[in-house]
Amino acid sequence: MNEDDIYRTSTQFRFWTYTAKALTDLRASSNSLAASRVRDAIKRSREQGSKSETSTNNAVPEVDCLTVEEEQKLVGWYCTKAMEFCDFSEFPKAVKATAVQFLKRFYLSTSPMTYHPKQMMLSAIYLATKVENFYIGIAEFAKMIPKTTADDILAPEFLLTQGLRFTFDVRHPYRSLEGGIMELHEMSRGSYIPPHGSSFTTEDVRVGILKVKSHRGKPATMTPDECAERIKRAHNKAGDILTKGALLTDAYFLYTPSQIWMSALLAADKPLAEFYLHIILSGTPNGSVSEPSSLELRLLSLLEQCAGLMTRSSSRGPDETETMELKRIDKKLYHCRNPEKIDLVGMNKAVKEGSNGDKVDEEKVVKKRKIERDRAAKEEQDLFGAPLKK
Amino acid sequence: MPSARRPNGIDESVICPVCKSSTYLNPNMIFKVNPECYHKMCDSCVERIFTSGPAPCPVAGCGKTLRKNRFKIPRFEDLAVERECDIRARVAQILNHSEADFDSLRTYNDYEEWKEELIMDLVSGNNVQEWERKLKEHAKENQESIKANARHEEDLREQVKEDERVRIERSELSRAEAQREFQEELAEREAGRKEVINKILNTNSDVLRVAKEAESVLQKRAAARNQPSTANGTMGVTSGSGDANITGKTTGSVGAAKSTGFSISGLKKIQPQTKEVEKVYDAFDGLSLQFKYYSLAEKYFHPRSNAVDKEKGHASGGYLGWDYQRRAQMDAHAGLGIFVEEEKA
């Protein structure tokens, strides 16, 4: 059993990691399912309306549903909104990241046409505060948001947990990044212990890291202090990528946390990341001292892909055309929402009252039994006993 | 004697078909049969005809050659039943597998059913010759295993006997021990009483005080007797010290009997289990964690988590900066070698 096997046991790997193709397929299928349900629901509501009015207006236009891309844009927009809210309320970054991932995971299997992201967003943030051990009472939490009651936040919560398949553990690459930076510092300070089976010695690594080429490919010889400074710079830059780009892309679905943080390091300081990767893979079967092993090459190309994915999105800012586009999508969504799923608070209440109704019936039965029992007891005390049963 | 039994009360007499002598005249007459043909005849006829060697059956129309030593007193009145029992015994001698020889109950049951069919065929006379031939062949081919099975069965029977013997021995031992204890206690009591009387006679001290002292001595002794038995931990009873002692002592002999094996049918299965128990218990059942990408250092340069150790607020909760560093190392490397596109395809 090694580190990889441990990660394989996590719910993030078992339920929330997909190949790129599986991911697009899943989104397409949940979109088409939601679209057909929306059409049915709208048809039903129209039929009800037409019955009361007795007007036979059959020529209703077909509902124009959102496409997968439009859905993605909308969810992405609400993810940024959620991040802004978390930043504004000064929540820890783990809460922010978990909330965003909850939203992204939830909308893998559902569509904004069924449940509007605006409703789910607050619930996701609230759930994330609980999951990440930063609990705020619901009353206090509701007070932070204007025009929102506690019910608005709690009503979609069960739906959300259902959509998350009741798996709340999100493995972020933040602690991983800290771990990697710790190791880099150990390397530069000459106290790094190479992995089991490695042919490098502590001294080899110390000398090696001081000679890592500069960012522009120039050969360099650094003093330990300069090296520490360089690691710190790479740390900050990688941290930035992880808190922005990594969250809004599909990186969490496609890669493992350790790959994500290493890609961020690769984007921040490529020679340093390559050196680090070479050292930590030196304990694996084909990891030799000079030549990169096949595993290392494969991993490098994977990390490049991941880094490309994350940096592309982080450079993208909310520009004019994009906001226009989002407004258009929002308007379109107004017409193609599932009318049966708009009133989440009402739905939640109905579920709860349904259980109450049963309780009332039960109470009645209990009462009836008690009266019968009392009567029987009274008759028993009669001089000649209870009347004979016929 | 089964042979002296009469079918319908005392009045009716049975006549030997050979010599026509009747039980009416000779109530102690014994009838015998030979498993070759199951023709009944009286003991004196058997003696008379077959003492000089093998001879044909005297019953009219039979004529099978019989030997004296095969004659026996039938166990059942109904000779058909007698015959079936004989066949069963003969088959069971050859096909003598026990359930433990089979890999599953199902196969054992199938075997038993097949055996039953064979027996019924032999009894009712279907295919007798072929079955006999096959049985003979089987017996010849599997001589060794049949012998081994028979030996095993014999062993089992021996063990039952041994078990019974041990049980009786144990109970006798416990009885003797209890008796001894009782006698000792009586003697002690008697001695104590004598001592008290002597004390009272020899010294002129207070009678009541002396009696009290003697009482306390007795109590102490009783307590001392009880202690070793409870220390054995066999049971928490202190009143019947004799009992507790016996159980403690005899566990050894029971254990010895166990090592030779009890006669329980599950014996074969139990023995390998006891061997397994002797292994050292492994909480992780053979799982061991081996880091592929890193080795843990004793301490890392990480100002934030190292600062935590100096804060009493964190330390009082049992939180250590080292815990964070260890976790961070695991997180940094866990899943690095997982290629999702390949593993999830």
Side-chain angles (χ1 to χ4, degrees):
Chain A
M1 190 144 174
N2 57 39
E3 302 93 309
D4 292 348
D5 295 326
I6 286 183
Y7 181 69
R8 281 190 190 100
T9 62
S10 68
T11 50
Q12 178 157 326
F13 181 73
R14 288 190 296 147
F15 300 144
W16 299 109
T17 302
Y18 302 91
T19 63
K21 188 177 175 303
L23 197 64
T24 47
D25 286 354
L26 186 60
R27 279 182 178 140
S29 74
S30 38
N31 173 267
S32 64
L33 189 68
S36 72
R37 281 194 185 147
V38 163
R39 286 189 188 114
D40 288 350
I42 289 177
K43 211 189 219 172
R44 272 198 294 276
S45 71
R46 272 182 193 154
E47 272 167 11
Q48 272 182 355
S50 65
K51 260 179 204 163
S52 57
E53 288 166 21
T54 63
S55 65
T56 49
N57 189 8
N58 280 337
V60 279
E62 184 68 7
V63 186
D64 185 19
C65 288
L66 294 186
T67 64
V68 179
E69 290 75 35
E70 285 168 338
E71 279 182 354
Q72 279 305 109
K73 267 182 194 159
L74 201 68
V75 173
W77 164 254
Y78 279 101
C79 283
T80 53
K81 283 281 145 200
M83 287 165 81
E84 276 169 23
F85 174 75
C86 289
D87 286 338
F88 176 77
S89 313
E90 292 177 346
F91 289 160
K93 71 180 167 191
V95 173
K96 178 166 83 171
T98 302
V100 170
Q101 287 311 309
F102 278 174
L103 276 178
K104 288 187 81 81
R105 285 178 180 187
F106 180 74
Y107 283 109
L108 268 191
S109 53
T110 35
S111 162
M113 293 183 284
T114 321
Y115 302 110
H116 198 288
K118 200 156 94 186
Q119 290 171 315
M120 305 309 294
M121 182 185 86
L122 293 173
S123 204
I125 296 170
Y126 185 60
L127 187 63
T129 61
K130 291 192 271 187
V131 167
E132 293 298 336
N133 206 6
F134 189 75
Y135 180 64
I136 304 166
I138 183 65
E140 204 185 322
F141 188 80
K143 237 183 259 171
M144 294 158 107
I145 309 147
K147 285 189 272 175
T148 307
T149 63
D151 270 352
D152 292 334
I153 298 162
L154 292 181
E157 195 167 40
F158 185 67
L159 282 173
L160 182 72
T161 54
Q162 246 178 338
L164 295 174
R165 293 156 87 174
F166 306 104
T167 57
F168 304 124
D169 180 27
V170 184
R171 305 225 170 169
H172 296 295
Y174 303 135
R175 203 191 299 118
S176 321
L177 176 69
E178 295 297 321
I181 296 299
M182 276 180 218
E183 278 207 318
L184 281 171
H185 276 302
E186 291 302 301
M187 287 177 182
S188 74
R189 293 154 73 91
S191 50
Y192 173 75
I193 306 168
H196 181 74
S198 167
S199 43
F200 287 108
T201 64
T202 304
E203 189 57 22
D204 289 342
V205 177
R206 193 185 69 83
V207 172
I209 198 168
L210 294 180
K211 283 185 183 160
V212 171
K213 284 178 191 167
S214 79
H215 197 47
R216 296 196 180 78
K218 282 182 196 159
T221 330
M222 292 173 283
T223 63
D225 284 345
E226 281 169 358
C227 188
E229 203 48 48
R230 180 175 175 179
I231 293 168
K232 231 178 244 173
R233 273 200 306 277
H235 184 183
N236 287 339
K237 217 168 159 189
D240 261 9
I241 295 171
L242 291 183
T243 41
K244 283 175 193 153
L247 280 180
L248 294 172
T249 59
D250 290 336
Y252 277 59
F253 293 127
L254 301 173
Y255 304 99
T256 66
S258 53
Q259 287 165 353
I260 294 172
W261 85 258
M262 266 184 226
S263 320
L265 186 70
L266 197 75
D269 192 340
K270 196 173 175 189
L272 195 64
E274 279 172 346
F275 173 78
Y276 176 73
L277 193 66
H278 185 65
I279 297 291
I280 64 169
L281 291 181
S282 63
T284 55
N286 288 323
S288 71
V289 179
S290 54
E291 290 293 304
S293 65
S294 62
L295 174 70
E296 191 178 338
L297 290 176
R298 272 168 70 209
L299 207 51
L300 260 179
S301 76
L302 182 100
L303 297 183
E304 296 270 12
Q305 278 175 32
C306 180
L309 178 75
M310 292 193 300
T311 45
R312 231 179 296 134
S313 84
S314 63
S315 61
R316 192 190 69 183
D319 55 8
E320 193 75 1
T321 53
E322 210 149 321
T323 38
M324 288 297 289
E325 171 76 357
L326 279 164
K327 268 183 190 161
R328 185 190 67 76
I329 295 172
D330 206 33
K331 224 173 250 172
K332 189 176 167 187
L333 179 61
Y334 181 77
H335 294 290
C336 65
R337 282 190 68 187
N338 191 335
E340 288 163 2
K341 307 274 186 187
I342 289 175
D343 183 18
L344 288 181
V345 177
M347 279 160 64
N348 196 29
K349 215 180 238 170
V351 169
K352 280 185 182 164
E353 273 169 6
S355 63
N356 273 347
D358 287 347
K359 221 179 246 171
V360 168
D361 281 352
E362 235 166 66
E363 274 171 11
K364 263 185 194 164
V365 170
V366 169
K367 214 171 181 182
K368 202 176 163 193
R369 274 193 203 135
K370 202 187 164 207
I371 288 170
E372 269 174 12
R373 206 168 43 233
D374 286 351
R375 203 177 59 206
K378 213 184 264 173
E379 283 169 347
E380 287 289 318
Q381 286 172 352
D382 213 11
L383 184 57
F384 297 106
L388 289 175
K389 273 178 190 143
K390 281 164 196 169
Chain B
M1 289 293 278
S3 59
R5 221 186 285 140
R6 282 149 209 174
N8 289 320
I10 298 168
D11 300 343
E12 258 181 66
S13 56
V14 183
I15 298 168
C16 169
V18 181
C19 61
K20 311 292 182 198
S21 57
S22 159
T23 48
Y24 180 73
L25 295 172
N26 181 11
N28 293 332
M29 210 160 82
I30 293 169
F31 285 95
K32 282 187 169 177
V33 294
N34 193 308
E36 275 304 315
C37 62
Y38 289 95
H39 285 129
K40 224 179 206 176
M41 59 191 80
C42 70
D43 194 27
S44 58
C45 286
V46 173
E47 289 289 327
R48 184 168 50 80
I49 300 167
F50 301 101
T51 307
S52 54
C57 178
V59 175
C62 176
K64 276 184 181 161
T65 308
L66 309 177
R67 282 158 207 277
K68 192 188 164 194
N69 62 349
R70 300 286 310 274
F71 273 96
K72 58 172 189 174
I73 299 165
R75 214 172 288 171
F76 299 95
E77 199 103 30
D78 189 346
L79 288 176
V81 176
E82 180 73 24
R83 179 165 161 265
E84 187 178 334
C85 279
D86 286 343
I87 291 171
R88 277 180 188 283
R90 194 159 53 88
V91 172
Q93 232 171 27
I94 296 169
L95 301 171
N96 61 353
H97 293 290
S98 63
E99 191 184 338
D101 297 341
F102 293 89
D103 50 358
S104 70
L105 183 62
R106 173 77 212 210
T107 52
Y108 174 64
N109 284 339
D110 287 348
Y111 162 79
E112 284 285 298
E113 196 184 342
W114 170 78
K115 205 162 95 176
E116 195 61 27
E117 273 169 10
L118 193 158
I119 289 166
M120 284 329 285
D121 273 359
L122 286 179
V123 169
S124 58
N126 281 347
N127 261 341
V128 175
Q129 277 173 353
E130 184 165 354
W131 282 129
E132 288 290 355
R133 185 178 56 76
K134 276 187 181 168
L135 266 180
K136 224 176 245 174
E137 271 173 22
H138 178 85
K140 218 177 188 179
E141 279 166 15
N142 302 308
Q143 226 168 2
E144 285 302 307
S145 72
I146 287 169
K147 262 186 198 163
N149 284 342
R151 226 176 297 131
H152 181 65
E153 210 149 294
E154 188 63 25
D155 283 352
L156 284 184
R157 236 172 275 137
E158 284 291 313
Q159 274 156 19
V160 172
K161 273 185 201 159
E162 176 72 14
D163 178 26
E164 186 61 19
R165 197 184 59 72
V166 166
R167 204 178 57 76
I168 290 168
E169 200 173 80
R170 207 171 102 188
S171 69
E172 270 172 4
L173 212 73
S174 73
R175 206 181 306 128
E177 188 78 0
Q179 192 76 20
R180 197 180 57 74
E181 286 277 328
F182 181 64
Q183 293 292 354
E184 261 175 25
E185 205 176 318
L186 270 189
E188 221 164 67
R189 224 168 250 267
E190 191 60 26
R193 225 171 54 203
K194 271 181 186 163
E195 206 178 321
V196 171
I197 290 168
N198 278 341
K199 250 187 195 170
I200 293 171
L201 286 179
N202 295 341
T203 62
N204 49 359
S205 58
D206 184 12
V207 174
L208 274 177
R209 201 171 54 78
V210 171
K212 220 174 222 173
E213 265 175 20
E215 184 71 22
S216 72
V217 167
L218 265 184
Q219 269 174 4
K220 264 182 202 164
R221 272 188 203 160
R225 257 207 315 278
N226 286 341
Q227 223 149 30
S229 65
T230 45
N232 275 336
T234 46
M235 46 176 81
V237 187
T238 46
S239 58
S241 65
D243 266 9
N245 244 338
I246 295 313
T247 45
K249 267 183 188 167
T250 46
T251 39
S253 69
V254 173
K258 240 178 198 168
S259 69
T260 60
F262 275 130
S263 59
I264 313 148
S265 55
L267 181 82
K268 268 190 161 177
K269 287 165 206 160
I270 285 167
Q271 269 175 342
Q273 260 183 8
T274 49
K275 268 179 200 164
E276 268 174 37
V277 167
E278 282 166 15
K279 269 191 208 163
V280 180
Y281 174 68
D282 180 12
F284 294 102
D285 198 19
L287 268 186
S288 70
L289 181 61
Q290 255 160 3
F291 298 139
K292 214 158 94 182
Y293 308 120
Y294 70 107
S295 312
L296 265 180
E298 274 175 18
K299 195 169 184 173
Y300 288 92
F301 170 73
H302 190 253
R304 202 144 50 90
S305 57
N306 284 333
V308 163
D309 287 346
K310 286 167 196 148
E311 284 176 38
K312 277 185 186 160
H314 281 106
S316 61
Y319 184 82
L320 292 172
W322 162 243
D323 285 332
Y324 175 83
Q325 294 170 0
R326 195 170 46 103
R327 252 185 109 180
Q329 287 307 316
M330 173 52 80
D331 282 359
H333 302 91
L336 182 64
I338 294 178
F339 291 88
V340 174
E341 289 287 336
E342 284 164 28
E343 292 198 16
K344 288 277 177 178

